């Protein structure tokens, strides 16, 4: 697992974001994608942002539907995912002394044509959010399908902002500091699936 986690940490420290293409195997990706579809078919998803006072603002911002994962109702493959995240958290705490205490994750599906406009996760709803983590579940994603995650990397003052575009390829995980990187989800031609979450401090 260390082989898996080390490049992510390296990336965060040197570039402001880290990623690996092998957080999930192709089989794990496929089965989580089908769980997502099953749960959505069973009516367990809701539009992101509904159920609180920010409904109107949120709905203009983002078009995804989500379902929060819960250890107590997780299927075996969801439990495997959450367990691996737990190992990542433990490794981050050992190597970077981040004081991570907790995490929260939800499935997300962006229907074709939907986006999540440029935003910062930290100001969103929870200042305990230290690291943002996105793991994609799209088994056959093609660059031409769109749906990239656009990261806006801060630069020394005076420089033009640098943008990075990351395709939501299945098995890929991206991680960055929630309070530092503004980012957005670009429009896609297909349903775009992920598990997204936050590693939180006390
Ligand atoms: C989010 C988010 C990015 C992505 O859910 O806050 O920014 O690539 N997701 O899905
Ligand atoms: Mn975000």
């Amino acid at each position: 697992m260390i082989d898996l986690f080390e490049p992510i940490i390296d990336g965060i420290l040197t570039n402001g974001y880290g990623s690996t293409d092998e957080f999930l195997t192709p089989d794990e990706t496929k089965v989580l994608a089908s769980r997502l579809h099953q749960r959505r078919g069973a009516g367990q998803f809701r539009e992101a942002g509904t159920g609180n006072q920010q409904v109107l603002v949120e709905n203009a911002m983002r078009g995804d539907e989500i379902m929060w994962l819960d250890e107590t109702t997780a299927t075996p493959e969801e439990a495997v995912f959450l367990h691996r995240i737990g190992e990542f958290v433990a490794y981050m705490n050992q190597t970077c002394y981040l004081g991570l205490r907790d995490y929260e994750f939800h499935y997300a599906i962006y229907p074709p044509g939907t986006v999540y406009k440029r935003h910062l996760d930290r100001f969103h709803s929870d200042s305990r959010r230290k690291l943002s983590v996105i793991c994609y579940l799209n088994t056959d994603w093609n660059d031409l399908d769109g749906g990239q995650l656009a990261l806006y990397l801060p630069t020394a003052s005076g420089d033009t902002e640098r943008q990075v575009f990351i395709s939501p390829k299945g098995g890929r995980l991206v991680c960055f500091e929630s309070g530092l990187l503004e980012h957005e989800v670009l429009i896609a031609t297909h349903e775009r699936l992920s598990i997204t979450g936050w590693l939180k401090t006390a």
Side-chain angles (χ1 to χ4, degrees), residues 106-120:
H106 63 59
Y107 280 122
I109 178 166
Y110 288 78
T114 60
V115 299
Y116 194 157
K117 290 182 189 165
R118 182 170 172 167
H119 66 282
L120 197 60

Side-chain angles (χ1 to χ4, degrees), residues 62 110 116 119 121 134 136 149 183 185 192 194 196 198:
R62 62 191 291 189
Y110 288 78
Y116 194 157
H119 66 282
D121 286 344
I134 306 128
Y136 299 107
L149 168 66
H183 54 281
V185 176
R192 179 189 189 276
S194 62
T196 299
W198 294 273

Side-chain angles (χ1 to χ4, degrees), residues 1-9 87 91 94-95:
M1 281 303 148
I2 289 171
D3 290 353
L4 198 59
F5 302 152
E6 196 56 41
I8 307 173
I9 297 173
E87 289 181 317
Y91 189 71
Q94 277 164 26
T95 54

Side-chain angles (χ1 to χ4, degrees), residues 72-93:
T72 62
T73 56
T75 63
E77 43 286 332
E78 291 163 355
V80 165
F81 175 85
L82 293 171
H83 179 74
R84 197 163 300 157
I85 291 292
E87 289 181 317
F88 182 51
V89 166
Y91 189 71
M92 287 297 265
N93 278 337

Side-chain angles (χ1 to χ4, degrees), residues 30-192:
K30 206 183 290 177
V31 74
L32 281 167
S34 72
R35 285 288 169 266
L36 183 157
H37 284 301
Q38 269 174 11
R39 287 186 177 282
R40 187 162 176 249
Q44 296 175 5
F45 276 59
R46 60 177 177 75
E47 285 180 22
T50 56
N52 63 42
Q53 293 149 347
Q54 296 189 3
V55 186
L56 291 175
V57 181
E58 293 269 354
N59 284 355
M61 279 288 289
R62 62 191 291 189
D64 57 329
E65 295 172 32
I66 65 168
M67 193 209 98
W68 288 98
L69 290 175
D70 177 346
E71 317 245 354
T72 62
T73 56
T75 63
E77 43 286 332
E78 291 163 355
V80 165
F81 175 85
L82 293 171
H83 179 74
R84 197 163 300 157
I85 291 292
E87 289 181 317
F88 182 51
V89 166
Y91 189 71
M92 287 297 265
N93 278 337
Q94 277 164 26
T95 54
C96 301
Y97 310 103
L98 286 175
L100 302 172
R101 289 285 167 274
D102 201 4
Y103 52 81
E104 56 185 6
F105 278 84
H106 63 59
Y107 280 122
I109 178 166
Y110 288 78
T114 60
V115 299
Y116 194 157
K117 290 182 189 165
R118 182 170 172 167
H119 66 282
L120 197 60
D121 286 344
R122 174 70 72 86
F123 295 154
H124 203 217
S125 62
D126 192 337
S127 58
R128 290 170 58 217
R129 289 177 174 180
K130 180 72 183 163
L131 291 171
S132 300
V133 175
I134 306 128
C135 184
Y136 299 107
L137 304 180
N138 307 296
T139 39
D140 292 309
W141 202 265
N142 186 296
D143 283 349
L144 298 175
D145 297 332
Q148 291 93 347
L149 168 66
L151 299 175
Y152 296 86
L153 300 177
T155 55
S157 55
D159 292 1
T160 37
E161 193 173 51
R162 198 159 76 83
Q163 276 187 66
V164 173
F165 299 95
I166 300 171
S167 259
K169 261 175 50 88
R172 175 173 285 168
L173 177 137
V174 181
C175 183
F176 52 87
E177 275 193 63
S178 307
L180 287 186
L181 282 204
E182 292 194 7
H183 54 281
E184 77 180 289
V185 176
L186 304 181
I187 198 164
T189 55
H190 295 306
E191 283 185 332
R192 179 189 189 276

